Amino acid sequence: MFRPSHFSVVAIACIALNVQAQDLDALKLDTRKQALPVLPKVVAMMKETVVAKGAVDAIPVCKDKAPQLIKEQSDKTGWQMHRVSLKTRNPERGAPDVWEARQLAEFNIRAANGEKPDTLEAGEIVSENGKQVYRYIKAIPVGDVCLACHGAREGLDAALKDQLARSYPHDRAVDYQLGQIRGALSVRRPL
């Protein structure tokens, strides 16, 4: 009768973990490749509008057009994609679930410890309703264009404050500084 040694059991477990790590790396790379190209499009659209029309006219871009771009990418991939934040501007669209909130909190800790916010991402396979899904999240740092509407509340123009209050009655997404984590792009990919 064959009895596996402790060494062979450990070796098999290590091989299984290595295969799983390679699978996770492949999922992360593929998700990054297919999901992240939408972010520069959103930023470019915001910059163009702020420069051409001003921050007040950029509100509908962030509120309506950016989610539409993300939805188009989501439809193309078949994955759920959306922006989330711990300080939401639009709670109906941007409130994180428990997994996303945990990742965003971890991003803040990692950034406070010196990691560059634009490099922060996480991905893992989780079970949801008995099905395996790949969850991926990529930090979105505050850029120059973001400060026009998300910067120090007292520094915002009166007309902009008024329009933000009308467009986002529950807005908490202000008082950011350049480079802080504004939120993240979150992806839920069925396996």
Side-chain angles (χ1 to χ4, degrees), residues 51-144:
V51 168
K53 299 180 181 180
V56 172
D57 286 336
I59 292 171
V61 173
C62 196
K63 184 177 181 183
D64 301 316
K65 291 185 181 179
Q68 182 58 40
L69 277 178
I70 292 169
K71 184 183 179 322
E72 288 169 9
Q73 192 68 17
S74 182
D75 290 345
K76 191 184 302 184
T77 61
W79 309 336
Q80 293 177 7
M81 297 171 54
H82 64 277
R83 294 177 298 171
V84 294
S85 177
L86 293 175
K87 289 173 48 175
T88 58
R89 177 149 278 176
N90 183 349
E92 293 85 33
R93 277 194 184 153
D97 64 18
V98 173
W99 185 87
E100 292 161 336
R102 188 179 82 234
Q103 300 304 326
L104 286 164
E106 180 67 25
F107 288 169
N108 285 330
I109 292 167
R110 290 169 57 190
N113 287 325
E115 286 187 58
K116 293 181 180 180
D118 61 344
T119 66
L120 298 173
E121 65 179 344
E124 69 179 307
I125 296 172
V126 298
S127 181
E128 294 181 350
N129 301 318
K131 296 181 181 176
Q132 297 288 303
V133 296
Y134 180 68
R135 300 288 308 264
Y136 174 82
I137 192 165
K138 170 75 171 142
I140 301 171
V142 174
D144 289 323

Coordinates of all heavy atoms in Angstrom, one line a residue, residues 51-144:
V51 N -11.3 72.4 -19.5 CA -10.6 73.4 -20.2 C -11.5 74.2 -21.1 O -11.4 75.4 -21.1 CB -9.4 72.8 -21.0 CG1 -8.8 73.7 -22.0 CG2 -8.3 72.2 -20.1
A52 N -12.4 73.5 -21.8 CA -13.2 74.2 -22.8 C -14.4 74.9 -22.2 O -14.8 76.0 -22.6 CB -13.8 73.2 -23.8
K53 N -15.0 74.4 -21.1 CA -16.2 74.9 -20.6 C -16.2 75.3 -19.1 O -17.1 75.9 -18.6 CB -17.4 73.9 -20.8 CG -17.6 73.7 -22.3 CD -18.8 72.7 -22.5 CE -19.0 72.3 -23.9 NZ -20.1 71.4 -24.1
G54 N -15.2 74.8 -18.4 CA -15.2 75.0 -16.9 C -15.7 73.9 -16.1 O -16.3 72.9 -16.6
A55 N -15.4 73.9 -14.8 CA -15.8 72.8 -13.9 C -17.3 72.6 -13.8 O -17.7 71.4 -13.7 CB -15.2 73.1 -12.5
V56 N -18.1 73.6 -13.8 CA -19.5 73.5 -13.6 C -20.1 72.6 -14.8 O -20.9 71.7 -14.6 CB -20.3 74.8 -13.6 CG1 -21.8 74.6 -13.6 CG2 -19.9 75.6 -12.3
D57 N -19.6 72.9 -16.0 CA -20.1 72.1 -17.1 C -19.5 70.7 -17.2 O -19.9 69.9 -18.0 CB -19.8 72.9 -18.4 CG -20.7 74.0 -18.6 OD1 -21.8 74.0 -18.1 OD2 -20.4 75.0 -19.3
A58 N -18.5 70.4 -16.4 CA -17.9 69.1 -16.4 C -18.6 68.2 -15.4 O -18.5 66.9 -15.5 CB -16.4 69.2 -15.9
I59 N -19.5 68.7 -14.6 CA -20.3 67.8 -13.7 C -21.1 66.8 -14.5 O -21.0 65.6 -14.1 CB -21.2 68.7 -12.8 CG1 -20.3 69.5 -11.8 CG2 -22.2 67.8 -12.0 CD1 -21.0 70.5 -10.9
P60 N -21.8 67.1 -15.5 CA -22.6 66.1 -16.2 C -21.6 65.0 -16.9 O -22.1 63.9 -17.1 CB -23.4 66.9 -17.3 CG -23.4 68.3 -16.8 CD -22.2 68.5 -16.0
V61 N -20.4 65.4 -17.2 CA -19.5 64.5 -17.8 C -19.2 63.4 -16.8 O -19.2 62.2 -17.0 CB -18.2 65.2 -18.3 CG1 -17.2 64.2 -18.7 CG2 -18.5 66.2 -19.4
C62 N -18.8 63.9 -15.6 CA -18.5 62.9 -14.5 C -19.7 62.1 -14.0 O -19.6 60.9 -13.8 CB -17.9 63.7 -13.3 SG -17.0 62.6 -12.2
K63 N -20.8 62.8 -14.0 CA -22.1 62.1 -13.5 C -22.7 61.2 -14.5 O -23.2 60.1 -14.1 CB -23.1 63.2 -13.1 CG -24.4 62.7 -12.5 CD -25.3 63.8 -12.1 CE -26.6 63.2 -11.5 NZ -27.5 64.2 -11.2
D64 N -22.7 61.5 -15.8 CA -23.4 60.7 -16.8 C -22.5 60.1 -17.8 O -22.7 58.9 -18.1 CB -24.5 61.6 -17.5 CG -25.5 62.2 -16.5 OD1 -25.9 61.4 -15.6 OD2 -25.8 63.4 -16.6
K65 N -21.6 60.9 -18.4 CA -20.8 60.4 -19.5 C -19.7 59.4 -19.1 O -19.5 58.4 -19.8 CB -20.2 61.5 -20.3 CG -21.2 62.3 -21.1 CD -20.6 63.4 -21.9 CE -21.7 64.2 -22.6 NZ -21.2 65.2 -23.5
A66 N -19.1 59.6 -17.9 CA -18.1 58.7 -17.5 C -18.7 57.3 -17.1 O -18.2 56.3 -17.6 CB -17.3 59.2 -16.3
P67 N -19.8 57.3 -16.4 CA -20.5 56.0 -16.2 C -20.9 55.3 -17.5 O -20.9 54.1 -17.6 CB -21.7 56.3 -15.3 CG -21.3 57.5 -14.6 CD -20.5 58.3 -15.6
Q68 N -21.3 56.1 -18.5 CA -21.7 55.5 -19.8 C -20.4 54.8 -20.4 O -20.6 53.7 -21.0 CB -22.3 56.5 -20.7 CG -22.7 56.0 -22.0 CD -23.8 54.9 -21.9 OE1 -24.6 54.9 -21.1 NE2 -23.6 53.9 -22.7
L69 N -19.3 55.5 -20.4 CA -18.1 54.9 -21.0 C -17.7 53.6 -20.2 O -17.4 52.6 -20.9 CB -16.9 55.8 -20.8 CG -16.7 56.9 -21.9 CD1 -15.5 57.8 -21.5 CD2 -16.6 56.3 -23.3
I70 N -17.9 53.6 -18.9 CA -17.6 52.4 -18.2 C -18.6 51.3 -18.5 O -18.2 50.1 -18.6 CB -17.5 52.7 -16.7 CG1 -16.3 53.6 -16.4 CG2 -17.5 51.4 -15.8 CD1 -16.3 54.2 -15.0
K71 N -19.9 51.7 -18.7 CA -20.9 50.7 -19.0 C -20.6 50.1 -20.4 O -20.8 48.9 -20.6 CB -22.3 51.3 -19.0 CG -23.4 50.3 -19.3 CD -24.7 50.9 -19.3 CE -25.9 50.0 -19.7 NZ -25.6 48.9 -20.6
E72 N -20.2 50.9 -21.3 CA -19.8 50.4 -22.7 C -18.7 49.4 -22.6 O -18.8 48.3 -23.2 CB -19.4 51.5 -23.6 CG -20.6 52.4 -24.0 CD -20.2 53.7 -24.7 OE1 -19.0 53.8 -25.0 OE2 -21.1 54.6 -24.9
Q73 N -17.7 49.6 -21.8 CA -16.6 48.7 -21.6 C -17.1 47.4 -20.9 O -16.7 46.3 -21.2 CB -15.5 49.3 -20.8 CG -14.2 48.5 -20.8 CD -13.5 48.5 -22.2 OE1 -13.8 49.3 -23.1 NE2 -12.6 47.6 -22.4
S74 N -18.0 47.6 -19.9 CA -18.6 46.5 -19.2 C -19.4 45.6 -20.2 O -19.3 44.4 -20.1 CB -19.5 47.0 -18.1 OG -20.1 46.0 -17.4
D75 N -20.2 46.2 -21.0 CA -21.0 45.5 -22.0 C -20.1 44.7 -23.0 O -20.4 43.6 -23.4 CB -21.9 46.4 -22.8 CG -23.0 47.0 -22.0 OD1 -23.3 46.5 -20.9 OD2 -23.6 48.0 -22.4
K76 N -18.9 45.4 -23.3 CA -18.0 44.7 -24.3 C -17.4 43.5 -23.7 O -17.2 42.5 -24.4 CB -16.9 45.7 -24.6 CG -16.0 45.3 -25.8 CD -14.9 46.3 -26.1 CE -15.4 47.7 -26.3 NZ -14.3 48.6 -26.7
T77 N -17.0 43.5 -22.4 CA -16.4 42.4 -21.7 C -17.3 41.4 -21.1 O -17.0 40.3 -20.9 CB -15.4 42.9 -20.6 OG1 -16.2 43.6 -19.6 CG2 -14.3 43.8 -21.1
G78 N -18.6 41.9 -20.8 CA -19.5 41.0 -20.1 C -19.3 41.0 -18.6 O -19.8 40.1 -17.9
W79 N -18.5 41.9 -18.1 CA -18.1 42.0 -16.7 C -18.8 43.2 -16.1 O -19.1 44.2 -16.8 CB -16.6 42.2 -16.5 CG -15.8 41.2 -17.2 CD1 -16.1 39.9 -17.6 CD2 -14.4 41.4 -17.5 NE1 -15.0 39.3 -18.2 CE2 -14.0 40.2 -18.2 CE3 -13.5 42.4 -17.4 CZ2 -12.7 40.0 -18.7 CZ3 -12.2 42.3 -17.9 CH2 -11.8 41.1 -18.5
Q80 N -19.1 43.1 -14.8 CA -19.7 44.3 -14.1 C -18.5 45.2 -13.7 O -17.5 44.8 -13.1 CB -20.4 43.9 -12.8 CG -21.6 43.1 -13.0 CD -22.3 42.6 -11.7 OE1 -21.8 43.0 -10.7 NE2 -23.3 41.8 -11.8
M81 N -18.6 46.5 -14.1 CA -17.6 47.5 -13.8 C -18.3 48.8 -13.3 O -19.3 49.2 -13.9 CB -16.8 47.8 -15.1 CG -16.0 46.6 -15.6 SD -15.3 46.8 -17.3 CE -14.3 48.3 -17.0
H82 N -17.7 49.4 -12.3 CA -18.1 50.7 -11.9 C -17.1 51.3 -11.0 O -16.1 50.7 -10.5 CB -19.5 50.5 -11.1 CG -19.4 49.7 -9.9 ND1 -19.4 48.4 -9.8 CD2 -19.2 50.1 -8.6 CE1 -19.3 47.9 -8.6 NE2 -19.2 49.0 -7.8
R83 N -17.3 52.6 -10.8 CA -16.4 53.4 -9.9 C -17.0 53.4 -8.5 O -18.2 53.5 -8.3 CB -16.2 54.8 -10.3 CG -15.5 54.9 -11.7 CD -15.4 56.4 -12.1 NE -16.8 56.9 -12.3 CZ -17.1 58.2 -12.5 NH1 -16.1 59.1 -12.6 NH2 -18.3 58.6 -12.7
V84 N -16.1 53.2 -7.5 CA -16.5 53.3 -6.1 C -15.6 54.2 -5.3 O -14.5 54.5 -5.7 CB -16.5 51.9 -5.5 CG1 -17.6 51.0 -6.1 CG2 -15.1 51.2 -5.5
S85 N -16.1 54.6 -4.1 CA -15.3 55.5 -3.3 C -15.7 55.4 -1.8 O -16.9 55.1 -1.6 CB -15.4 56.9 -3.7 OG -14.6 57.8 -2.9
L86 N -14.8 55.6 -0.9 CA -15.2 55.6 0.5 C -15.9 57.0 0.8 O -16.7 57.1 1.8 CB -14.0 55.5 1.4 CG -13.3 54.1 1.3 CD1 -12.1 54.0 2.2 CD2 -14.3 53.0 1.8
K87 N -15.6 58.0 0.0 CA -16.3 59.3 0.2 C -17.1 59.5 -1.1 O -16.6 60.1 -2.1 CB -15.2 60.4 0.4 CG -14.6 60.4 1.7 CD -13.4 61.4 1.9 CE -13.7 62.7 1.4 NZ -12.6 63.7 1.7
T88 N -18.3 59.0 -1.1 CA -19.1 59.0 -2.4 C -19.6 60.4 -2.7 O -19.9 61.2 -1.8 CB -20.3 58.1 -2.2 OG1 -21.1 58.4 -1.1 CG2 -19.8 56.6 -2.1
R89 N -19.8 60.6 -3.9 CA -20.5 61.8 -4.5 C -21.9 61.4 -4.8 O -22.8 62.1 -4.6 CB -19.7 62.3 -5.7 CG -20.4 63.5 -6.3 CD -19.5 64.5 -7.0 NE -18.9 65.3 -6.0 CZ -18.0 66.2 -6.2 NH1 -17.4 66.4 -7.4 NH2 -17.5 67.0 -5.3
N90 N -22.1 60.2 -5.4 CA -23.4 59.7 -5.7 C -23.5 58.3 -5.1 O -23.1 57.3 -5.7 CB -23.4 59.6 -7.3 CG -24.8 59.1 -7.8 OD1 -25.6 58.7 -7.0 ND2 -25.0 59.2 -9.1
P91 N -24.1 58.2 -3.9 CA -24.2 57.0 -3.2 C -24.9 55.8 -4.0 O -24.6 54.7 -3.8 CB -25.0 57.3 -1.9 CG -25.0 58.8 -1.8 CD -24.7 59.3 -3.2
E92 N -25.9 56.2 -4.8 CA -26.6 55.2 -5.6 C -25.6 54.4 -6.6 O -25.8 53.3 -6.8 CB -27.7 55.7 -6.4 CG -28.9 56.3 -5.5 CD -28.6 57.7 -5.1 OE1 -28.0 58.5 -5.8 OE2 -29.0 58.0 -3.9
R93 N -24.6 55.1 -7.1 CA -23.7 54.5 -8.0 C -22.3 54.2 -7.4 O -21.7 53.3 -7.9 CB -23.4 55.5 -9.2 CG -24.5 55.5 -10.2 CD -23.9 56.2 -11.5 NE -25.0 56.3 -12.5 CZ -25.0 57.3 -13.4 NH1 -24.1 58.2 -13.4 NH2 -26.0 57.3 -14.2
G94 N -21.9 54.9 -6.5 CA -20.5 54.8 -6.1 C -20.2 54.2 -4.7 O -19.1 54.1 -4.3
A95 N -21.3 53.7 -4.0 CA -21.0 53.2 -2.7 C -20.4 51.8 -2.8 O -20.9 50.9 -3.6 CB -22.3 53.1 -1.9
P96 N -19.3 51.5 -2.1 CA -18.6 50.2 -2.2 C -19.4 49.2 -1.4 O -20.0 49.5 -0.4 CB -17.3 50.5 -1.6 CG -17.5 51.6 -0.6 CD -18.6 52.5 -1.2
D97 N -19.2 47.9 -1.9 CA -19.7 46.8 -1.1 C -18.6 46.5 -0.1 O -17.6 47.2 0.0 CB -20.1 45.6 -2.0 CG -18.9 45.0 -2.8 OD1 -17.8 45.2 -2.4 OD2 -19.2 44.3 -3.7
V98 N -18.8 45.5 0.7 CA -17.9 45.1 1.8 C -16.5 44.8 1.2 O -15.5 45.3 1.7 CB -18.4 44.0 2.7 CG1 -17.3 43.5 3.7 CG2 -19.7 44.4 3.4
W99 N -16.4 44.0 0.2 CA -15.1 43.7 -0.4 C -14.4 44.9 -0.9 O -13.2 45.1 -0.7 CB -15.3 42.7 -1.6 CG -14.0 42.2 -2.1 CD1 -13.3 41.1 -1.7 CD2 -13.3 42.7 -3.3 NE1 -12.2 40.9 -2.5 CE2 -12.2 41.9 -3.4 CE3 -13.5 43.8 -4.1 CZ2 -11.2 42.1 -4.4 CZ3 -12.6 44.0 -5.1 CH2 -11.5 43.2 -5.3
E100 N -15.1 45.8 -1.6 CA -14.6 47.0 -2.2 C -14.1 48.0 -1.1 O -13.0 48.5 -1.2 CB -15.6 47.7 -3.1 CG -15.9 46.9 -4.4 CD -17.2 47.3 -5.1 OE1 -18.1 47.9 -4.4 OE2 -17.3 47.1 -6.3
A101 N -14.9 48.1 0.0 CA -14.6 49.0 1.1 C -13.3 48.5 1.8 O -12.4 49.3 2.1 CB -15.7 49.1 2.1
R102 N -13.2 47.2 1.9 CA -12.0 46.6 2.5 C -10.7 46.9 1.7 O -9.7 47.3 2.2 CB -12.1 45.1 2.7 CG -11.0 44.5 3.5 CD -11.2 43.0 3.7 NE -10.7 42.3 2.5 CZ -11.5 41.4 1.8 NH1 -12.7 41.1 2.2 NH2 -11.0 40.8 0.7
Q103 N -10.9 46.8 0.4 CA -9.7 47.0 -0.5 C -9.4 48.5 -0.5 O -8.2 48.9 -0.5 CB -10.1 46.6 -2.0 CG -10.4 45.1 -2.1 CD -9.3 44.2 -1.6 OE1 -8.1 44.5 -1.7 NE2 -9.7 43.1 -1.1
L104 N -10.4 49.4 -0.6 CA -10.1 50.8 -0.5 C -9.4 51.3 0.8 O -8.5 52.1 0.7 CB -11.4 51.6 -0.7 CG -12.0 51.6 -2.1 CD1 -13.4 52.1 -2.1 CD2 -11.1 52.5 -3.1
A105 N -9.8 50.7 1.9 CA -9.2 51.0 3.2 C -7.7 50.5 3.1 O -6.8 51.2 3.6 CB -10.0 50.3 4.3
E106 N -7.5 49.3 2.6 CA -6.2 48.8 2.4 C -5.3 49.7 1.5 O -4.1 49.9 1.8 CB -6.2 47.3 1.9 CG -4.9 46.7 1.7 CD -4.2 46.4 3.1 OE1 -4.8 46.3 4.1 OE2 -2.9 46.3 3.0
F107 N -5.9 50.2 0.4 CA -5.2 51.1 -0.5 C -4.7 52.3 0.3 O -3.6 52.8 0.1 CB -6.0 51.5 -1.6 CG -6.3 50.5 -2.7 CD1 -7.2 50.7 -3.7 CD2 -5.6 49.3 -2.7 CE1 -7.5 49.8 -4.7 CE2 -5.8 48.3 -3.7 CZ -6.8 48.6 -4.7
N108 N -5.6 52.9 1.2 CA -5.2 54.0 1.9 C -4.1 53.8 2.9 O -3.2 54.6 3.0 CB -6.4 54.6 2.7 CG -7.4 55.3 1.8 OD1 -7.0 55.9 0.8 ND2 -8.7 55.3 2.2
I109 N -4.1 52.6 3.5 CA -3.0 52.2 4.4 C -1.7 52.0 3.6 O -0.6 52.5 4.0 CB -3.3 50.9 5.1 CG1 -4.5 51.1 6.1 CG2 -2.1 50.3 5.8 CD1 -5.1 49.9 6.7
R110 N -1.8 51.4 2.4 CA -0.6 51.2 1.6 C 0.0 52.5 1.1 O 1.2 52.7 1.1 CB -0.9 50.2 0.5 CG -1.2 48.8 0.9 CD -1.7 47.9 -0.1 NE -1.0 47.8 -1.3 CZ -1.4 47.2 -2.5 NH1 -2.6 46.7 -2.5 NH2 -0.6 47.2 -3.5
A111 N -0.9 53.4 0.7 CA -0.5 54.7 0.3 C 0.2 55.5 1.4 O 1.2 56.2 1.2 CB -1.6 55.5 -0.3
A112 N -0.4 55.4 2.6 CA 0.2 56.1 3.8 C 1.6 55.5 4.1 O 2.4 56.2 4.7 CB -0.7 55.9 5.0
N113 N 1.8 54.3 3.7 CA 3.1 53.6 4.0 C 4.1 53.8 2.8 O 5.1 53.2 2.7 CB 2.9 52.1 4.3 CG 2.4 51.9 5.7 OD1 2.7 52.7 6.6 ND2 1.6 50.9 5.8
G114 N 3.7 54.7 1.8 CA 4.7 55.1 0.8 C 4.4 54.5 -0.6 O 5.1 54.8 -1.5
E115 N 3.5 53.6 -0.8 CA 3.2 53.1 -2.1 C 2.5 54.1 -3.0 O 1.7 54.9 -2.4 CB 2.3 51.8 -2.1 CG 3.0 50.6 -1.6 CD 2.2 49.3 -1.7 OE1 1.8 49.0 -2.8 OE2 1.9 48.7 -0.7
K116 N 2.9 54.2 -4.2 CA 2.3 55.2 -5.1 C 0.8 54.8 -5.4 O 0.6 53.6 -5.8 CB 3.1 55.2 -6.4 CG 4.5 55.8 -6.3 CD 5.2 55.9 -7.6 CE 6.6 56.4 -7.4 NZ 7.3 56.5 -8.6
P117 N -0.1 55.7 -5.2 CA -1.5 55.4 -5.4 C -1.9 54.8 -6.8 O -2.7 54.0 -7.0 CB -2.2 56.7 -5.1 CG -1.4 57.4 -4.2 CD 0.1 57.0 -4.6
D118 N -1.1 55.3 -7.8 CA -1.5 54.9 -9.2 C -1.0 53.4 -9.5 O -1.3 52.9 -10.5 CB -0.9 55.8 -10.3 CG 0.6 55.9 -10.2 OD1 1.2 55.6 -9.2 OD2 1.1 56.4 -11.2
T119 N -0.3 52.8 -8.5 CA 0.1 51.4 -8.7 C -0.8 50.4 -7.9 O -0.6 49.2 -8.0 CB 1.6 51.2 -8.2 OG1 1.7 51.4 -6.8 CG2 2.5 52.1 -9.0
L120 N -1.7 51.0 -7.1 CA -2.4 50.1 -6.1 C -3.6 49.4 -6.9 O -4.4 50.0 -7.5 CB -3.0 51.0 -5.0 CG -2.0 51.6 -4.1 CD1 -2.6 52.6 -3.1 CD2 -1.1 50.6 -3.4
E121 N -3.6 48.1 -6.7 CA -4.6 47.2 -7.3 C -4.7 46.0 -6.4 O -3.8 45.6 -5.7 CB -4.3 46.9 -8.7 CG -3.1 46.1 -8.9 CD -2.8 45.7 -10.4 OE1 -3.7 45.9 -11.3 OE2 -1.6 45.3 -10.7
A122 N -5.8 45.2 -6.6 CA -5.9 44.0 -5.9 C -6.9 43.1 -6.7 O -7.7 43.6 -7.5 CB -6.5 44.2 -4.5
G123 N -6.7 41.8 -6.6 CA -7.6 40.9 -7.3 C -7.6 39.5 -6.6 O -6.6 39.1 -6.1
E124 N -8.8 38.9 -6.6 CA -8.9 37.6 -5.9 C -10.1 36.9 -6.4 O -11.1 37.5 -6.9 CB -8.9 37.7 -4.4 CG -10.1 38.3 -3.8 CD -10.0 38.4 -2.3 OE1 -9.8 37.3 -1.7 OE2 -10.2 39.5 -1.7
I125 N -10.1 35.6 -6.3 CA -11.3 34.8 -6.6 C -12.1 34.6 -5.4 O -11.5 34.3 -4.3 CB -10.8 33.4 -7.2 CG1 -10.1 33.6 -8.5 CG2 -12.0 32.5 -7.4 CD1 -9.4 32.3 -9.1
V126 N -13.4 34.9 -5.5 CA -14.2 34.8 -4.3 C -15.5 34.0 -4.7 O -15.8 33.9 -5.9 CB -14.7 36.2 -3.8 CG1 -13.5 37.0 -3.3 CG2 -15.5 37.0 -4.8
S127 N -16.2 33.5 -3.8 CA -17.4 32.8 -4.0 C -18.6 33.7 -3.7 O -18.6 34.2 -2.6 CB -17.5 31.5 -3.1 OG -18.6 30.8 -3.4
E128 N -19.5 33.8 -4.7 CA -20.7 34.7 -4.5 C -21.9 33.9 -4.9 O -21.9 33.4 -6.1 CB -20.6 36.0 -5.3 CG -19.5 36.9 -4.8 CD -19.4 38.2 -5.6 OE1 -20.1 38.3 -6.7 OE2 -18.7 39.1 -5.2
N129 N -22.8 33.6 -4.0 CA -24.0 32.8 -4.3 C -23.6 31.5 -4.9 O -24.3 31.0 -5.9 CB -24.9 33.6 -5.2 CG -25.4 34.9 -4.6 OD1 -25.7 35.0 -3.4 ND2 -25.4 36.0 -5.4
G130 N -22.6 30.9 -4.4 CA -22.2 29.5 -4.8 C -21.4 29.5 -6.1 O -21.1 28.4 -6.7
K131 N -21.1 30.7 -6.7 CA -20.3 30.7 -8.0 C -19.0 31.5 -7.7 O -18.9 32.4 -7.0 CB -21.2 31.5 -9.0 CG -22.4 30.8 -9.4 CD -23.2 31.5 -10.5 CE -24.5 30.7 -10.8 NZ -25.3 31.5 -11.8
Q132 N -18.0 31.0 -8.5 CA -16.7 31.7 -8.4 C -16.6 32.9 -9.3 O -17.1 32.8 -10.5 CB -15.6 30.7 -8.8 CG -15.5 29.5 -7.9 CD -14.9 29.8 -6.6 OE1 -13.8 30.3 -6.5 NE2 -15.6 29.5 -5.5
V133 N -16.2 34.0 -8.8 CA -16.0 35.2 -9.5 C -14.6 35.8 -9.2 O -14.1 35.6 -8.1 CB -17.1 36.3 -9.3 CG1 -18.4 35.8 -9.7 CG2 -17.1 36.7 -7.9
Y134 N -14.1 36.5 -10.2 CA -12.8 37.2 -10.0 C -13.2 38.6 -9.7 O -13.8 39.3 -10.5 CB -11.9 37.1 -11.2 CG -10.6 37.8 -11.0 CD1 -9.7 37.3 -10.1 CD2 -10.3 38.9 -11.8 CE1 -8.5 38.0 -10.0 CE2 -9.1 39.6 -11.6 CZ -8.2 39.1 -10.7 OH -7.0 39.8 -10.5
R135 N -12.7 39.1 -8.5 CA -12.9 40.5 -8.2 C -11.6 41.3 -8.4 O -10.5 40.8 -7.9 CB -13.3 40.7 -6.7 CG -14.6 40.0 -6.3 CD -15.9 40.6 -6.8 NE -16.0 42.0 -6.6 CZ -16.7 42.6 -5.5 NH1 -17.3 41.8 -4.7 NH2 -16.8 43.9 -5.4
Y136 N -11.6 42.4 -9.0 CA -10.5 43.2 -9.3 C -10.8 44.7 -9.0 O -11.9 45.1 -9.2 CB -10.0 43.1 -10.8 CG -8.9 44.0 -11.2 CD1 -7.6 43.7 -10.9 CD2 -9.2 45.2 -11.8 CE1 -6.6 44.5 -11.3 CE2 -8.2 46.1 -12.1 CZ -6.8 45.7 -11.9 OH -5.8 46.6 -12.2
I137 N -9.8 45.4 -8.4 CA -10.0 46.8 -8.1 C -8.7 47.5 -8.3 O -7.6 47.0 -8.0 CB -10.6 46.9 -6.7 CG1 -11.1 48.3 -6.4 CG2 -9.6 46.4 -5.6 CD1 -11.9 48.5 -5.2
K138 N -8.8 48.7 -8.9 CA -7.7 49.5 -9.2 C -7.9 50.9 -8.7 O -8.9 51.6 -9.0 CB -7.5 49.6 -10.7 CG -6.4 50.6 -11.2 CD -5.0 50.1 -11.0 CE -4.0 51.0 -11.7 NZ -2.9 51.2 -10.9
A139 N -7.0 51.4 -7.9 CA -7.1 52.8 -7.3 C -7.1 53.8 -8.4 O -6.4 53.7 -9.4 CB -6.0 53.0 -6.3
I140 N -7.9 54.9 -8.1 CA -7.9 56.1 -9.0 C -7.4 57.2 -8.1 O -8.1 57.7 -7.2 CB -9.3 56.4 -9.5 CG1 -9.9 55.2 -10.3 CG2 -9.3 57.6 -10.3 CD1 -11.3 55.3 -10.7
P141 N -6.2 57.7 -8.4 CA -5.7 58.8 -7.6 C -6.3 60.1 -8.1 O -6.7 60.3 -9.2 CB -4.2 58.7 -7.8 CG -4.0 58.0 -9.0 CD -5.2 57.1 -9.3
V142 N -6.3 61.1 -7.2 CA -6.7 62.5 -7.5 C -5.7 63.1 -8.4 O -4.5 63.2 -8.0 CB -6.9 63.3 -6.2 CG1 -7.3 64.7 -6.5 CG2 -8.0 62.7 -5.4
G143 N -6.1 63.5 -9.6 CA -5.2 64.3 -10.5 C -5.6 65.7 -10.5 O -6.5 66.2 -9.8
D144 N -4.8 66.5 -11.2 CA -5.1 68.0 -11.2 C -6.5 68.3 -11.6 O -7.1 69.2 -11.0 CB -4.1 68.6 -12.2 CG -2.7 68.7 -11.7 OD1 -2.5 68.8 -10.5 OD2 -1.8 68.5 -12.5

